[in-house]
Amino acid sequence: MRFSLFIHMERVSDQQSQKQLYDEMIELCQIADEGGMHAIWTGEHHGMNFTIAPNPLLNLADIANKTKNVRLGTGTVVAPFWHPIKLAGEAAMTDIISNGRLDLGIARGAYSFEYERMVPGMDAWGAGQRMRELIPAIKGLWKGDYAHEGEFWSFPSTTSAPLPLQQPHPPIWVAARDPNSHEFAVQNGCNVQVTPLHFGDDEVQKLIGHFNAACEKFSEVPRPKIMLLRHTYVADSEADAQIAADEINVFYNYFGAWFKNERPISQGLIAKLSDEEIAAHPMYSAQAMRSNNVIGPPEEVIARLKAYEAMGFDEYSFWIDTGMSFERKKASLLRMINDVMPAFAQE
């Protein structure tokens, strides 16, 4: 099983400058590269200081020139926010800039806050349909002389300019949860990204079950890869793990508030949650975070990840967005590299 870093600039308050957040993100990416991680993933979000990521391809082009070996993945671009010709060309250019290190992850998106602003009237179903139309169009444009007549986009014969360096094209990944999304990905030769979010390992089992069922249904297609994305903190003690569980619990409370899209927002920041609101949340708690997410000393993390490897996951992505300080993120990442990864055979 390979290991990667999943990272954004994240801002819960205005106490840190955005430039400082970017510099810290780059330093963590360089640590991942120097430490032998397989890839770095970063996503797309708009108008949200909680996750500052207006164009992952722009970030990856910069990271490409500040790293040497890691693959560089969009985790993910949001399908309804892109025209196929624009995404094909910009992704191909990023592949050239990175000397063939790009992986293109694509999703339908999740936040109604963004749909309201980027594509008014959009919902998750419509976004999913756009993703299903976008991916074959991207492949056609990378092949060249491709005309498209679809439900959402139509254009005459066009070739992506430039073409990607990787041939026939960079790996494409689909963020999937339900069985239909897994089937679409596998049938179309795409790799799969899954995250159980705040749920426990029963959800992990369910997700890889969907993937395995899709692979069995489309057995004529070579088995694609599957990546598991989880919030992770490698602690130096049980007391440190409990602190992390509290921090990640606060993070998920803000995640949930953004997802519900009911709370006031000013200057890209959601109205502060009170301690009482956090304590009263029916789905989140520090105890649940400690149990469900991968939080603990190295030996506990190793055992948890060995179980994921045995399930059949090809890649485990260390989701470092947690609301905690840069110093705590850095220490956890270094423990992951130095104390956890050596327990696994690396390609």
Side-chain angles (χ1 to χ4, degrees), residues 296-347:
E299 60 274 13
E300 180 181 336
V301 172
I302 290 169
R304 192 77 171 272
L305 301 187
K306 288 284 187 183
Y308 296 151
E309 185 178 49
M311 289 180 195
F313 286 99
D314 301 289
E315 183 171 337
Y316 180 83
S317 199
F318 181 111
W319 192 353
I320 204 167
D321 298 353
T322 50
M324 62 183 63
S325 70
F326 168 71
E327 290 74 21
R328 286 179 56 72
K329 290 179 183 177
K330 180 177 177 180
S332 170
L333 179 59
L334 286 169
R335 285 190 286 266
M336 178 72 180
I337 290 167
N338 295 326
D339 301 335
V340 174
M341 284 171 49
F344 296 80
Q346 298 294 298
E347 291 183 358

Side-chain angles (χ1 to χ4, degrees), residues 17-252:
S17 74
Q18 293 172 339
K19 176 64 166 65
Q20 179 186 354
L21 291 174
Y22 189 77
D23 291 343
E24 291 173 353
M25 183 184 77
I26 293 297
E27 184 174 341
L28 293 170
C29 289
Q30 290 172 325
I31 290 170
D33 180 48
E34 293 163 3
M37 281 189 154
H38 169 73
I40 291 166
W41 298 89
T42 194
E44 176 183 4
H45 293 286
H46 298 278
M48 305 168 63
N49 270 255
F50 183 65
T51 311
I52 304 171
N55 186 334
L57 297 170
L58 186 65
N59 286 3
L60 294 179
D62 184 41
I63 295 168
N65 286 312
K66 294 174 178 173
T67 58
K68 296 179 181 178
N69 300 309
V70 280
R71 292 196 61 81
L72 303 166
T74 60
T76 52
V77 296
V78 182
F81 302 161
W82 290 83
H83 189 285
I85 297 173
K86 181 176 173 63
L87 180 55
E90 291 193 25
M93 183 65 80
T94 307
D95 195 45
I96 289 172
I97 290 170
S98 66
N99 196 30
R101 287 193 274 158
L102 179 70
D103 281 53
L104 185 66
I106 302 176
R108 70 182 188 181
Y111 291 108
S112 61
F113 173 87
E114 292 180 293
Y115 290 155
E116 287 175 356
R117 287 153 179 81
M118 300 294 289
V119 189
M122 177 65 61
D123 59 16
W125 170 258
Q129 294 302 102
R130 282 166 174 79
M131 183 185 73
R132 285 164 168 75
E133 184 174 326
L134 179 72
I135 288 173
I138 295 292
K139 289 184 177 181
L141 288 161
W142 281 340
K143 189 174 182 180
D145 296 329
Y146 171 79
H148 186 81
E149 288 292 335
E151 181 180 356
F152 304 107
W153 299 284
S154 297
F155 48 86
S157 180
T158 310
T159 301
S160 173
L163 293 172
L165 182 61
Q166 296 177 85
Q167 289 299 316
H169 55 73
I172 298 176
W173 298 71
V174 171
R177 292 196 67 81
D178 61 83
N180 289 336
S181 296
H182 284 265
E183 290 182 7
F184 169 80
V186 172
Q187 186 179 17
N188 285 272
C190 299
N191 299 321
V192 172
Q193 302 172 347
V194 298
T195 179
L197 296 173
H198 59 282
F199 297 105
D201 284 351
D202 286 350
E203 182 74 5
V204 179
Q205 288 276 13
K206 183 172 77 173
L207 290 167
I208 200 160
H210 293 336
F211 176 76
N212 288 335
C215 290
E216 185 175 345
K217 182 173 182 178
F218 299 102
S219 58
E220 73 282 2
V221 179
R223 181 187 183 276
K225 296 187 181 302
I226 182 168
M227 179 182 89
L228 175 63
L229 168 64
R230 291 224 83 167
H231 277 98
T232 308
Y233 183 82
V234 185
D236 64 12
S237 64
E238 181 54 38
D240 187 34
Q242 291 297 332
I243 293 170
D246 285 329
E247 291 168 320
I248 294 174
N249 181 48
V250 172
F251 175 92
Y252 264 107

